[in-house]
PDB file of all heavy atoms in Angstrom:
ATOM      1  N   ASN A 740       3.924 -12.696  75.864  1.00  0.00           N
ATOM      2  CA  ASN A 740       5.241 -12.313  75.380  1.00  0.00           C
ATOM      3  C   ASN A 740       5.052 -11.458  74.127  1.00  0.00           C
ATOM      4  O   ASN A 740       4.647 -11.964  73.081  1.00  0.00           O
ATOM      5  CB  ASN A 740       6.072 -13.568  75.061  1.00  0.00           C
ATOM      6  CG  ASN A 740       7.429 -13.246  74.457  1.00  0.00           C
ATOM      7  OD1 ASN A 740       7.925 -12.123  74.569  1.00  0.00           O
ATOM      8  ND2 ASN A 740       8.035 -14.228  73.819  1.00  0.00           N
ATOM      9  N   VAL A 741       5.290 -10.171  74.225  1.00  0.00           N
ATOM     10  CA  VAL A 741       5.138  -9.265  73.084  1.00  0.00           C
ATOM     11  C   VAL A 741       6.346  -9.420  72.166  1.00  0.00           C
ATOM     12  O   VAL A 741       7.482  -9.181  72.584  1.00  0.00           O
ATOM     13  CB  VAL A 741       4.993  -7.806  73.546  1.00  0.00           C
ATOM     14  CG1 VAL A 741       4.985  -6.866  72.346  1.00  0.00           C
ATOM     15  CG2 VAL A 741       3.717  -7.638  74.364  1.00  0.00           C
ATOM     16  N   ILE A 742       6.111  -9.806  70.895  1.00  0.00           N
ATOM     17  CA  ILE A 742       7.221 -10.023  69.972  1.00  0.00           C
ATOM     18  C   ILE A 742       7.312  -8.949  68.893  1.00  0.00           C
ATOM     19  O   ILE A 742       8.301  -8.894  68.160  1.00  0.00           O
ATOM     20  CB  ILE A 742       7.152 -11.421  69.323  1.00  0.00           C
ATOM     21  CG1 ILE A 742       5.925 -11.554  68.416  1.00  0.00           C
ATOM     22  CG2 ILE A 742       7.153 -12.509  70.393  1.00  0.00           C
ATOM     23  CD1 ILE A 742       5.937 -12.821  67.569  1.00  0.00           C
ATOM     24  N   ASP A 743       6.301  -8.086  68.784  1.00  0.00           N
ATOM     25  CA  ASP A 743       6.361  -6.997  67.825  1.00  0.00           C
ATOM     26  C   ASP A 743       5.378  -5.913  68.242  1.00  0.00           C
ATOM     27  O   ASP A 743       4.309  -6.217  68.803  1.00  0.00           O
ATOM     28  CB  ASP A 743       6.031  -7.491  66.406  1.00  0.00           C
ATOM     29  CG  ASP A 743       6.458  -6.503  65.318  1.00  0.00           C
ATOM     30  OD1 ASP A 743       7.072  -5.465  65.654  1.00  0.00           O
ATOM     31  OD2 ASP A 743       6.184  -6.768  64.134  1.00  0.00           O
ATOM     32  N   THR A 744       5.726  -4.666  67.967  1.00  0.00           N
ATOM     33  CA  THR A 744       4.847  -3.537  68.278  1.00  0.00           C
ATOM     34  C   THR A 744       4.697  -2.614  67.069  1.00  0.00           C
ATOM     35  O   THR A 744       4.363  -1.441  67.224  1.00  0.00           O
ATOM     36  CB  THR A 744       5.403  -2.719  69.463  1.00  0.00           C
ATOM     37  OG1 THR A 744       6.713  -2.224  69.133  1.00  0.00           O
ATOM     38  CG2 THR A 744       5.470  -3.564  70.731  1.00  0.00           C
ATOM     39  N   GLU A 745       4.932  -3.140  65.857  1.00  0.00           N
ATOM     40  CA  GLU A 745       4.982  -2.292  64.683  1.00  0.00           C
ATOM     41  C   GLU A 745       3.930  -2.605  63.618  1.00  0.00           C
ATOM     42  O   GLU A 745       4.032  -2.125  62.486  1.00  0.00           O
ATOM     43  CB  GLU A 745       6.378  -2.354  64.056  1.00  0.00           C
ATOM     44  CG  GLU A 745       7.463  -1.821  64.978  1.00  0.00           C
ATOM     45  CD  GLU A 745       8.838  -1.848  64.347  1.00  0.00           C
ATOM     46  OE1 GLU A 745       8.939  -2.184  63.151  1.00  0.00           O
ATOM     47  OE2 GLU A 745       9.824  -1.552  65.048  1.00  0.00           O
ATOM     48  N   LEU A 746       2.923  -3.399  63.951  1.00  0.00           N
ATOM     49  CA  LEU A 746       1.828  -3.565  63.001  1.00  0.00           C
ATOM     50  C   LEU A 746       1.066  -2.251  62.874  1.00  0.00           C
ATOM     51  O   LEU A 746       0.995  -1.473  63.820  1.00  0.00           O
ATOM     52  CB  LEU A 746       0.856  -4.660  63.461  1.00  0.00           C
ATOM     53  CG  LEU A 746       1.273  -6.117  63.330  1.00  0.00           C
ATOM     54  CD1 LEU A 746       0.079  -7.009  63.630  1.00  0.00           C
ATOM     55  CD2 LEU A 746       1.849  -6.438  61.976  1.00  0.00           C
ATOM     56  N   ASP A 747       0.470  -2.041  61.726  1.00  0.00           N
ATOM     57  CA  ASP A 747      -0.348  -0.853  61.523  1.00  0.00           C
ATOM     58  C   ASP A 747      -1.779  -1.303  61.258  1.00  0.00           C
ATOM     59  O   ASP A 747      -2.090  -1.818  60.203  1.00  0.00           O
ATOM     60  CB  ASP A 747       0.182  -0.035  60.337  1.00  0.00           C
ATOM     61  CG  ASP A 747      -0.373   1.387  60.322  1.00  0.00           C
ATOM     62  OD1 ASP A 747      -1.452   1.598  60.919  1.00  0.00           O
ATOM     63  OD2 ASP A 747       0.265   2.260  59.730  1.00  0.00           O
ATOM     64  N   HIS A 748      -2.624  -1.164  62.293  1.00  0.00           N
ATOM     65  CA  HIS A 748      -4.022  -1.602  62.188  1.00  0.00           C
ATOM     66  C   HIS A 748      -4.075  -3.099  61.899  1.00  0.00           C
ATOM     67  O   HIS A 748      -4.646  -3.556  60.911  1.00  0.00           O
ATOM     68  CB  HIS A 748      -4.736  -0.811  61.086  1.00  0.00           C
ATOM     69  CG  HIS A 748      -6.216  -0.715  61.273  1.00  0.00           C
ATOM     70  ND1 HIS A 748      -7.106  -1.476  60.571  1.00  0.00           N
ATOM     71  CD2 HIS A 748      -6.967   0.064  62.089  1.00  0.00           C
ATOM     72  CE1 HIS A 748      -8.347  -1.179  60.927  1.00  0.00           C
ATOM     73  NE2 HIS A 748      -8.283  -0.242  61.849  1.00  0.00           N
ATOM     74  N   GLY A 749      -3.474  -3.884  62.802  1.00  0.00           N
ATOM     75  CA  GLY A 749      -3.364  -5.331  62.606  1.00  0.00           C
ATOM     76  C   GLY A 749      -4.701  -6.005  62.369  1.00  0.00           C
ATOM     77  O   GLY A 749      -5.670  -5.757  63.092  1.00  0.00           O
ATOM     78  N   HIS A 750      -4.738  -6.880  61.356  1.00  0.00           N
ATOM     79  CA  HIS A 750      -6.010  -7.523  61.026  1.00  0.00           C
ATOM     80  C   HIS A 750      -5.852  -8.963  60.534  1.00  0.00           C
ATOM     81  O   HIS A 750      -6.782  -9.750  60.651  1.00  0.00           O
ATOM     82  CB  HIS A 750      -6.763  -6.711  59.973  1.00  0.00           C
ATOM     83  CG  HIS A 750      -8.243  -6.931  59.968  1.00  0.00           C
ATOM     84  ND1 HIS A 750      -8.847  -7.955  59.267  1.00  0.00           N
ATOM     85  CD2 HIS A 750      -9.240  -6.257  60.593  1.00  0.00           C
ATOM     86  CE1 HIS A 750     -10.161  -7.892  59.456  1.00  0.00           C
ATOM     87  NE2 HIS A 750     -10.424  -6.871  60.264  1.00  0.00           N
ATOM     88  N   SER A 751      -4.715  -9.306  59.939  1.00  0.00           N
ATOM     89  CA  SER A 751      -4.529 -10.670  59.448  1.00  0.00           C
ATOM     90  C   SER A 751      -3.560 -11.413  60.356  1.00  0.00           C
ATOM     91  O   SER A 751      -2.526 -10.875  60.754  1.00  0.00           O
ATOM     92  CB  SER A 751      -3.995 -10.662  58.012  1.00  0.00           C
ATOM     93  OG  SER A 751      -2.787  -9.939  57.922  1.00  0.00           O
ATOM     94  N   LEU A 752      -3.911 -12.658  60.697  1.00  0.00           N
ATOM     95  CA  LEU A 752      -3.091 -13.444  61.611  1.00  0.00           C
ATOM     96  C   LEU A 752      -3.334 -14.924  61.354  1.00  0.00           C
ATOM     97  O   LEU A 752      -4.472 -15.386  61.345  1.00  0.00           O
ATOM     98  CB  LEU A 752      -3.452 -13.110  63.068  1.00  0.00           C
ATOM     99  CG  LEU A 752      -2.724 -13.891  64.153  1.00  0.00           C
ATOM    100  CD1 LEU A 752      -1.251 -13.486  64.205  1.00  0.00           C
ATOM    101  CD2 LEU A 752      -3.373 -13.655  65.518  1.00  0.00           C
ATOM    102  N   VAL A 753      -2.252 -15.669  61.133  1.00  0.00           N
ATOM    103  CA  VAL A 753      -2.366 -17.111  61.000  1.00  0.00           C
ATOM    104  C   VAL A 753      -1.093 -17.746  61.526  1.00  0.00           C
ATOM    105  O   VAL A 753       0.013 -17.234  61.321  1.00  0.00           O
ATOM    106  CB  VAL A 753      -2.637 -17.534  59.529  1.00  0.00           C
ATOM    107  CG1 VAL A 753      -1.482 -17.164  58.613  1.00  0.00           C
ATOM    108  CG2 VAL A 753      -2.930 -19.023  59.432  1.00  0.00           C
ATOM    109  N   VAL A 754      -1.240 -18.846  62.251  1.00  0.00           N
ATOM    110  CA  VAL A 754      -0.117 -19.600  62.808  1.00  0.00           C
ATOM    111  C   VAL A 754      -0.054 -20.941  62.091  1.00  0.00           C
ATOM    112  O   VAL A 754      -1.058 -21.651  62.001  1.00  0.00           O
ATOM    113  CB  VAL A 754      -0.286 -19.797  64.325  1.00  0.00           C
ATOM    114  CG1 VAL A 754       0.792 -20.720  64.877  1.00  0.00           C
ATOM    115  CG2 VAL A 754      -0.247 -18.452  65.046  1.00  0.00           C
ATOM    116  N   ALA A 755       1.118 -21.301  61.558  1.00  0.00           N
ATOM    117  CA  ALA A 755       1.282 -22.560  60.826  1.00  0.00           C
ATOM    118  C   ALA A 755       2.758 -22.918  60.756  1.00  0.00           C
ATOM    119  O   ALA A 755       3.623 -22.032  60.713  1.00  0.00           O
ATOM    120  CB  ALA A 755       0.707 -22.442  59.417  1.00  0.00           C
ATOM    121  N   ASP A 756       3.046 -24.203  60.736  1.00  0.00           N
ATOM    122  CA  ASP A 756       4.423 -24.681  60.581  1.00  0.00           C
ATOM    123  C   ASP A 756       4.765 -24.683  59.101  1.00  0.00           C
ATOM    124  O   ASP A 756       4.558 -25.669  58.401  1.00  0.00           O
ATOM    125  CB  ASP A 756       4.556 -26.081  61.175  1.00  0.00           C
ATOM    126  CG  ASP A 756       5.968 -26.642  61.059  1.00  0.00           C
ATOM    127  OD1 ASP A 756       6.882 -25.883  60.670  1.00  0.00           O
ATOM    128  OD2 ASP A 756       6.147 -27.841  61.342  1.00  0.00           O
ATOM    129  N   VAL A 757       5.303 -23.575  58.597  1.00  0.00           N
ATOM    130  CA  VAL A 757       5.538 -23.438  57.165  1.00  0.00           C
ATOM    131  C   VAL A 757       6.864 -24.036  56.715  1.00  0.00           C
ATOM    132  O   VAL A 757       7.076 -24.213  55.510  1.00  0.00           O
ATOM    133  CB  VAL A 757       5.459 -21.959  56.725  1.00  0.00           C
ATOM    134  CG1 VAL A 757       4.073 -21.396  56.994  1.00  0.00           C
ATOM    135  CG2 VAL A 757       6.541 -21.115  57.390  1.00  0.00           C
ATOM    136  N   ASP A 758       7.774 -24.335  57.646  1.00  0.00           N
ATOM    137  CA  ASP A 758       9.047 -24.915  57.233  1.00  0.00           C
ATOM    138  C   ASP A 758       9.215 -26.369  57.661  1.00  0.00           C
ATOM    139  O   ASP A 758      10.275 -26.963  57.468  1.00  0.00           O
ATOM    140  CB  ASP A 758      10.224 -24.072  57.718  1.00  0.00           C
ATOM    141  CG  ASP A 758      10.292 -23.951  59.239  1.00  0.00           C
ATOM    142  OD1 ASP A 758       9.478 -24.602  59.931  1.00  0.00           O
ATOM    143  OD2 ASP A 758      11.157 -23.201  59.722  1.00  0.00           O
ATOM    144  N   GLY A 759       8.160 -26.947  58.249  1.00  0.00           N
ATOM    145  CA  GLY A 759       8.157 -28.374  58.527  1.00  0.00           C
ATOM    146  C   GLY A 759       9.082 -28.833  59.632  1.00  0.00           C
ATOM    147  O   GLY A 759       9.423 -30.028  59.705  1.00  0.00           O
ATOM    148  N   ASP A 760       9.481 -27.941  60.538  1.00  0.00           N
ATOM    149  CA  ASP A 760      10.392 -28.345  61.607  1.00  0.00           C
ATOM    150  C   ASP A 760       9.669 -28.723  62.895  1.00  0.00           C
ATOM    151  O   ASP A 760      10.299 -28.998  63.910  1.00  0.00           O
ATOM    152  CB  ASP A 760      11.415 -27.244  61.875  1.00  0.00           C
ATOM    153  CG  ASP A 760      10.793 -25.972  62.469  1.00  0.00           C
ATOM    154  OD1 ASP A 760       9.545 -25.898  62.542  1.00  0.00           O
ATOM    155  OD2 ASP A 760      11.556 -25.056  62.830  1.00  0.00           O
ATOM    156  N   GLY A 761       8.341 -28.738  62.858  1.00  0.00           N
ATOM    157  CA  GLY A 761       7.564 -29.107  64.037  1.00  0.00           C
ATOM    158  C   GLY A 761       7.166 -27.941  64.911  1.00  0.00           C
ATOM    159  O   GLY A 761       6.345 -28.098  65.823  1.00  0.00           O
ATOM    160  N   ASN A 762       7.742 -26.764  64.671  1.00  0.00           N
ATOM    161  CA  ASN A 762       7.400 -25.559  65.414  1.00  0.00           C
ATOM    162  C   ASN A 762       6.731 -24.558  64.483  1.00  0.00           C
ATOM    163  O   ASN A 762       7.221 -24.306  63.382  1.00  0.00           O
ATOM    164  CB  ASN A 762       8.653 -24.926  66.033  1.00  0.00           C
ATOM    165  CG  ASN A 762       9.260 -25.792  67.117  1.00  0.00           C
ATOM    166  OD1 ASN A 762       8.550 -26.505  67.834  1.00  0.00           O
ATOM    167  ND2 ASN A 762      10.578 -25.745  67.237  1.00  0.00           N
ATOM    168  N   ALA A 763       5.617 -23.998  64.917  1.00  0.00           N
ATOM    169  CA  ALA A 763       4.830 -23.128  64.048  1.00  0.00           C
ATOM    170  C   ALA A 763       5.438 -21.728  63.946  1.00  0.00           C
ATOM    171  O   ALA A 763       6.048 -21.222  64.888  1.00  0.00           O
ATOM    172  CB  ALA A 763       3.400 -23.035  64.555  1.00  0.00           C
ATOM    173  N   GLU A 764       5.242 -21.140  62.782  1.00  0.00           N
ATOM    174  CA  GLU A 764       5.580 -19.745  62.549  1.00  0.00           C
ATOM    175  C   GLU A 764       4.303 -18.903  62.604  1.00  0.00           C
ATOM    176  O   GLU A 764       3.198 -19.445  62.639  1.00  0.00           O
ATOM    177  CB  GLU A 764       6.265 -19.567  61.189  1.00  0.00           C
ATOM    178  CG  GLU A 764       7.708 -20.031  61.136  1.00  0.00           C
ATOM    179  CD  GLU A 764       7.857 -21.540  61.182  1.00  0.00           C
ATOM    180  OE1 GLU A 764       7.131 -22.237  60.448  1.00  0.00           O
ATOM    181  OE2 GLU A 764       8.694 -22.033  61.979  1.00  0.00           O
ATOM    182  N   ILE A 765       4.467 -17.587  62.586  1.00  0.00           N
ATOM    183  CA  ILE A 765       3.349 -16.653  62.644  1.00  0.00           C
ATOM    184  C   ILE A 765       3.407 -15.738  61.434  1.00  0.00           C
ATOM    185  O   ILE A 765       4.473 -15.217  61.089  1.00  0.00           O
ATOM    186  CB  ILE A 765       3.407 -15.794  63.932  1.00  0.00           C
ATOM    187  CG1 ILE A 765       3.391 -16.685  65.183  1.00  0.00           C
ATOM    188  CG2 ILE A 765       2.248 -14.788  63.970  1.00  0.00           C
ATOM    189  CD1 ILE A 765       3.763 -15.935  66.458  1.00  0.00           C
ATOM    190  N   VAL A 766       2.272 -15.551  60.772  1.00  0.00           N
ATOM    191  CA  VAL A 766       2.142 -14.570  59.702  1.00  0.00           C
ATOM    192  C   VAL A 766       1.122 -13.531  60.159  1.00  0.00           C
ATOM    193  O   VAL A 766       0.023 -13.892  60.596  1.00  0.00           O
ATOM    194  CB  VAL A 766       1.690 -15.221  58.380  1.00  0.00           C
ATOM    195  CG1 VAL A 766       1.405 -14.154  57.317  1.00  0.00           C
ATOM    196  CG2 VAL A 766       2.744 -16.201  57.878  1.00  0.00           C
ATOM    197  N   ALA A 767       1.505 -12.253  60.092  1.00  0.00           N
ATOM    198  CA  ALA A 767       0.603 -11.191  60.551  1.00  0.00           C
ATOM    199  C   ALA A 767       0.822  -9.945  59.710  1.00  0.00           C
ATOM    200  O   ALA A 767       1.939  -9.671  59.250  1.00  0.00           O
ATOM    201  CB  ALA A 767       0.835 -10.874  62.022  1.00  0.00           C
TER     202      ALA A 767
END
């Protein structure tokens, strides 16, 4: 499932539940 196509030379990526709701967010 493609959720974004606007990174420029993507290199950083981490998945973590940053708001504590049990579902993880993505930082890229």
Side-chain angles (χ1 to χ4, degrees):
N740 176 19
V741 174
I742 66 170
D743 196 4
T744 59
E745 297 181 6
L746 285 189
D747 196 337
H748 205 258
H750 204 274
S751 57
L752 178 69
V753 64
V754 173
D756 180 9
V757 298
D758 61 5
D760 67 353
N762 293 328
E764 285 71 46
I765 302 167
V766 173

